Amino acid sequence: METKLHWATVGCPGCIPLSRTSGAPLLPRASRYHPRPGQGERGSLRLTAGPAVPCTQVTCIEVVEAYVERIKEVNPLINAVVKDRFEEALQEARQVDKLLSEGPGDDCLEEKFPLLGVPITVKEAFSLYGMPNTSGLVNRRNVTATSDATVVSRLKQAGAIPLGVTNCSELCMWYESSNRVYGRTNNPYDLQRIVGGSSGGEGSVLAAACSVIGVGSDIGGSIRMPAFFNGVFGHKPTTGVVPNDGQFPNAVGVRSSFLCTGPMCRYAEDLELVLRVMAGPGVSKLKLNEKVSLEKIKFHCMDHDGGSIFVSPVAKEILQAQKKVVEHLESDLGVQVQRVAIHKMKYSFQIWSAMMSSKDSEGQEAQRFTDLLGDHGKPVWPLWELMKWLVGMSSHTLPAIGNLVNLNLSGKAKLVSMGKSLQEEMEALLGPDGVLLYPSHPTIAPKHHSPICMPFNFAYTAIFNVLGLPVTQCPLGLGSEGLPLGIQLVAAAYNDHLTLAVAQYLEKAFGGWVLPGKV
């Protein structure tokens, strides 16, 4: 059975150049493109300024219409957009065109609306006015957002146009985006493969060129795993920079220090612009205005976690891709990539689990998953729910039921202490100018349902949530099975500018996002 998407006849609005043309009149950012594949230089859609290239001037309504048609064409296959707002988006596009025809000068509009006319999608766990906000929980299927999450509001104020909301895993606590409300989302590179989670709908919709920007959240890799499996860029900012308000479930207690909201894009250069908008005043904590000299970065490389018994070995193809990155850095930049072996990384899953269930500084207990699954109703009990699932009567997915089990890790206090020690070790290693290369996941995108057999593989991303470090997932082209490869770029806290700069560099060297299927 053929499971790969083909674009030759449907067209691909995300595959077109969007650069600021020298001397051209201001256009909505998302309108600087050729509307069909093959008509642009590389088939890109970019938000940021670039070298002057021939540019077809189109209206914002034409841009949004192209994306709407794109979603209608491919969403029946990938099931990424679970609720659209096409009519509202088209109306907002008309307002952009009116603004441009009547508005002030180019510089004024570009400064006020840095994302003017750009089509975006939003993870369904975030509040987007008028859209469902279930997080895949059946007993929330009638919940509709009455306001916008803070980051969504900021993106809209910057001129972005939401097209709809995308699928996630149940309660955002699993790395396959499937639930009893919306069903399962499929990978554009192979429909029999997972998209990751919990921001899996965003990863899929971006890879399929149905959106320009994705809004994701990440408490254990929920931005980076979908970005890896779908061959796009995803950035988990330094903890506390981007507000998490307006998503369900939101983190409380100690988990509020681990949850991060961040951008997902097909092109590395777009991450910084979107991060600036999302962070708002919080962007002052970062150093995004500092110029990065790649030759002066101290690169470190770690091939695997040291052999945890809970996690799959890193696939040979992923190791080879990372090796190519090291070789390219050393030959092209003249740097020496230092190989490191950090012993405590072997216990990544145990450290993450212990710290996620620990008390905060005020002694507040972490919220129990049984209470979250009940959502202010009766708590859900694991054994009873499993029995119901076995006879097809449960309204929950098997991974969600599995999450109800309290692992009761022995020596939790010791593991929490180990986590804090690891954080200090990482900060000392990376310093003000260091970047660590680390696998995004031990395997390429697995087939549907198989993560249940390797449930702790997310430890490769999760460890950096509890360490509070900024991480950028960078695609490295496709492997032998036509599935995306990638790598994590890690820096010390508030050094997001380093990982973003290296991601742009590697995108040019290794090609970045690759169009799924055949053109």
Side-chain angles (χ1 to χ4, degrees), residues 301-315:
C301 176
M302 191 166 170
D303 290 339
H304 51 76
D305 64 2
S308 169
I309 60 173
F310 291 100
V311 178
S312 300
V314 178

Side-chain angles (χ1 to χ4, degrees), residues 172-285:
C172 302
M173 287 298 288
W174 186 237
Y175 72 97
E176 175 160 18
S177 291
S178 178
N179 57 68
R180 293 300 180 102
V181 180
Y182 302 118
R184 185 183 75 195
T185 300
N186 301 317
N187 193 307
Y189 294 89
D190 183 341
L191 301 181
Q192 299 305 309
R193 304 279 180 159
I194 74 169
V195 295
S198 58
S199 309
E202 286 304 312
S204 179
V205 81
L206 287 165
C210 295
S211 178
V212 182
I213 299 168
V215 179
S217 57
D218 189 316
I219 200 169
S222 292
I223 286 174
R224 289 160 289 152
M225 282 187 291
F228 170 68
F229 293 142
N230 294 279
V232 297
F233 291 87
H235 183 68
K236 184 201 86 65
T238 299
T239 297
V241 172
V242 178
N244 295 317
D245 305 327
Q247 58 183 295
F248 179 86
N250 205 344
V252 297
V254 70
R255 294 179 185 175
S256 61
S257 299
F258 307 149
L259 178 64
C260 292
T261 296
M264 301 170 69
C265 308
R266 262 192 311 284
Y267 297 99
E269 60 188 314
D270 295 338
L271 289 174
E272 181 184 325
L273 172 60
V274 182
L275 177 59
R276 286 179 181 274
V277 174
M278 284 182 163
V283 77
S284 62
K285 299 177 182 179

Side-chain angles (χ1 to χ4, degrees), residues 252-258 353-367 412-413 416 420:
V252 297
V254 70
R255 294 179 185 175
S256 61
S257 299
F258 307 149
S353 298
M355 295 184 75
M356 280 282 287
S357 60
S358 63
K359 297 179 181 180
D360 65 12
S361 58
E362 297 178 356
Q364 182 179 358
E365 295 274 2
Q367 193 168 11
K412 188 165 77 172
V416 171
K420 293 177 180 178

Side-chain angles (χ1 to χ4, degrees), residues 100-118:
L100 290 170
S101 65
E102 302 174 352
D106 292 8
D107 293 339
C108 179
L109 278 179
E110 186 136 12
E111 181 178 345
K112 187 175 181 180
F113 303 112
L115 299 176
L116 186 60
V118 175

